Amino acid sequence: STSRMFMSSQTFDLSGSFELHNFESGPESSVECSKEEMLDMFELMYTMRRMEITCDNEYKAKNIRGFCHLYDGQEAVATGIQNAFEQGDSWITSYRCHCVALARGGTVSKVVGELFGNIDGYSKGKGGSMHMYNKEHNFYGGAGIVGAQVPLGAGLAFANKYKAKPGEPMNVAIACYGDGAANQGQIWESANMCNLWNLPMIFCIENNRYGMGTSIERHSSISDYYQMGNAIPGLRIDGMNVLAVREGMRFAKEYCGAGNGPMYIEMMTYRYHGHSMSDPGTTYRNREEIAFTRSTRDPLEFIKKCLTESEFATPEEIKEMEKKIRKEVQAEVLKAKESTRPPLEELPKHIYAANLETLEQEYPPFIRMPDFEKSLDFSK
């Protein structure tokens, strides 16, 4: 036991974490993880959890309005993908995007600031919950229309293949979408094109078991989503196990990046909140189901167990980390609240670009305001 405490890495068993489609062999059934890597993953996941719980409270206090889709319960998915990817890989997701924005180079104050509608938010207060981007980190949003991110993801994969240097692995693109979007026509069309053109595209279904308020048994004739690509190989991953997600996504990145074409991934996960803040989440499922998942499959409890069993951290050390993160999230939210709403002159910006390199902007000639007398005329 004493010798283990000084080991910088441990091997973790992933048996039963993967199911394969059109693959003879898949990811390794065990993975090595260092203490630093695991503590970093725990820190990101716990920050995500605290941020989303804070968003829930701020929404109930009416400081956040409009759409708000929370990610708590699914933190291992975004964290595992982030830890398998490089900054050059492209990532686009659904409207449930707060935690992906955080993982992809964001801060709590910028995410929450955007939800408050403030100028220092991710999209200068003009995007809200569903529209956050980080071009520097190749994060392309947040898409407000169900499934619309998938054809855009195919375009990102096309660009990555087009820009790849001969003989070198390609950067991949991933489009994450829910089980509720998985049967959309635009996804089938995108999959067909990606397979025809051998694009480095990962179709990632975050199967949280409910499309809005409809269970997968009622909204899909296919429940094995990782097999939906037909000829396209697929992989089902335990999406509550961050180590399995990381290892599975490393496998997917290597496969797609090597020029083998696209791949389907199904993450078996669960959301604790309703579909959005307007959905209590208990009319189509009962509280016992949610409580049972929390007590048996919670992604944070899993990684905490890994930390203690590997002797990377004691329960007391984990509690101290949690306390520190809670304070940091609180401070970031206060920082977001110090910001202000965008001024009126910000309204016509970021509509037309005069020059993409210098970010010079053109203004539309006329913007009609609700009060016509206050309309903005740029044609003069």
Side-chain angles (χ1 to χ4, degrees):
S1 175
T2 308
S3 62
R4 285 181 67 192
M5 289 184 76
F6 294 100
M7 290 177 70
S8 59
S9 67
Q10 292 278 1
T11 302
F12 296 87
D13 183 28
L14 297 180
S15 301
S17 298
F18 308 110
E19 292 177 60
L20 309 176
H21 169 66
N22 284 352
F23 276 120
E24 286 185 12
S25 61
E28 297 293 329
S29 58
S30 65
V31 63
E32 195 158 300
C33 185
S34 72
K35 177 180 176 178
E36 290 71 27
E37 287 171 334
M38 189 167 280
L39 287 171
D40 283 348
M41 287 190 284
F42 170 73
E43 189 174 333
L44 178 57
M45 287 171 67
Y46 194 70
T47 303
M48 289 174 175
R49 178 70 58 89
R50 293 310 307 175
M51 181 178 77
E52 294 296 65
I53 289 169
T54 302
C55 289
D56 173 87
N57 293 333
E58 294 293 341
Y59 197 96
K60 286 168 180 168
K62 298 189 176 173
N63 293 326
I64 296 171
R65 305 292 183 113
F67 294 104
C68 186
H69 306 83
L70 301 180
Y71 199 70
D72 50 322
Q74 299 181 213
E75 297 93 346
V77 175
T79 303
I81 295 171
Q82 174 63 14
N83 277 269
F85 271 25
E86 296 166 9
Q87 191 168 318
D89 296 314
S90 309
W91 193 343
I92 191 166
T93 189
S94 70
Y95 39 75
R96 200 179 301 280
C97 68
H98 308 163
C99 291
V100 181
L102 182 68
R104 213 67 177 148
T107 63
V108 172
S109 63
K110 286 191 73 145
V111 172
V112 177
E114 187 58 39
L115 292 167
F116 289 154
N118 289 340
I119 186 73
D120 294 316
Y122 234 123
S123 302
K124 298 186 181 294
K126 296 191 282 186
S129 172
M130 303 189 288
H131 304 286
M132 300 183 192
Y133 312 89
N134 192 330
K135 190 179 178 185
E136 186 190 344
H137 289 258
N138 283 300
F139 173 53
Y140 294 91
I145 305 298
V146 176
Q149 66 272 28
V150 182
L152 296 174
L156 292 167
F158 182 89
N160 286 349
K161 183 173 182 178
Y162 188 82
K163 292 187 289 188
K165 292 174 182 171
E168 291 185 17
M170 291 180 276
N171 283 119
V172 301
I174 188 170
C176 296
Y177 53 101
D179 51 279
N183 282 295
Q184 287 208 352
Q186 59 185 334
I187 295 173
W188 296 101
E189 291 172 43
S190 302
N192 183 53
M193 291 170 76
C194 287
N195 207 29
L196 280 172
W197 296 343
N198 263 4
L199 300 185
M201 170 69 173
I202 299 168
F203 294 83
C204 181
I205 301 109
E206 294 189 60
N207 182 358
N208 61 25
R209 295 187 50 201
Y210 296 94
M212 297 186 71
T214 310
S215 68
I216 54 172
E217 292 80 16
R218 292 179 59 221
H219 76 64
S220 181
S221 62
I222 300 167
S223 58
D224 294 324
Y225 292 102
Y226 69 111
Q227 299 177 11
M228 285 181 89
N230 299 322
I232 299 172
L235 176 67
R236 176 182 270 167
I237 302 174
D238 178 0
M240 305 301 256
N241 177 336
V242 69
L243 296 174
V245 175
R246 187 183 73 163
E247 192 63 18
M249 292 310 300
R250 281 176 172 171
F251 175 82
K253 176 174 161 55
E254 189 179 332
Y255 175 87
C256 297
N260 294 308
M263 187 170 165
Y264 262 64
I265 297 278
E266 179 183 6
M267 300 286 187
M268 303 302 289
T269 186
Y270 196 81
R271 59 169 161 80
Y272 293 149
H273 269 86
H275 170 72
S276 71
M277 284 300 295
S278 59
D279 166 25
T282 51
T283 53
Y284 48 88
R285 58 182 187 176
N286 56 46
R287 293 182 194 278
E288 288 74 25
E289 178 187 304
I290 303 166
F292 179 75
T293 306
R294 276 187 189 275
S295 63
T296 58
R297 294 182 65 221
D298 183 71
L300 273 161
E301 290 305 317
F302 170 82
I303 195 169
K304 286 201 280 194
K305 189 180 172 196
C306 289
L307 282 165
T308 53
E309 287 186 356
S310 62
E311 297 180 7
F312 285 164
T314 64
E316 292 72 31
E317 286 169 336
I318 291 170
K319 282 196 176 98
E320 279 304 307
M321 281 181 70
E322 289 176 338
K323 192 175 168 183
K324 178 173 166 279
I325 291 166
R326 282 198 298 272
K327 279 186 180 173
E328 285 169 357
V329 170
Q330 211 172 0
E332 286 280 289
V333 173
L334 289 173
K335 181 181 172 185
K337 285 183 175 178
E338 286 167 8
S339 183
T340 56
R341 293 291 162 89
L344 191 60
E345 55 267 25
E346 189 68 31
L347 181 68
K349 291 182 180 177
H350 306 101
I351 298 173
Y352 298 114
N355 187 316
L356 288 173
E357 296 300 317
T358 61
L359 300 181
E360 287 176 65
Q361 302 184 40
E362 285 182 16
Y363 296 111
F366 184 79
I367 295 180
R368 191 193 189 289
M369 300 296 280
D371 180 348
F372 190 81
E373 296 300 317
K374 293 179 181 174
S375 296
L376 305 174
D377 189 350
F378 296 96
S379 61
K380 296 169 184 173

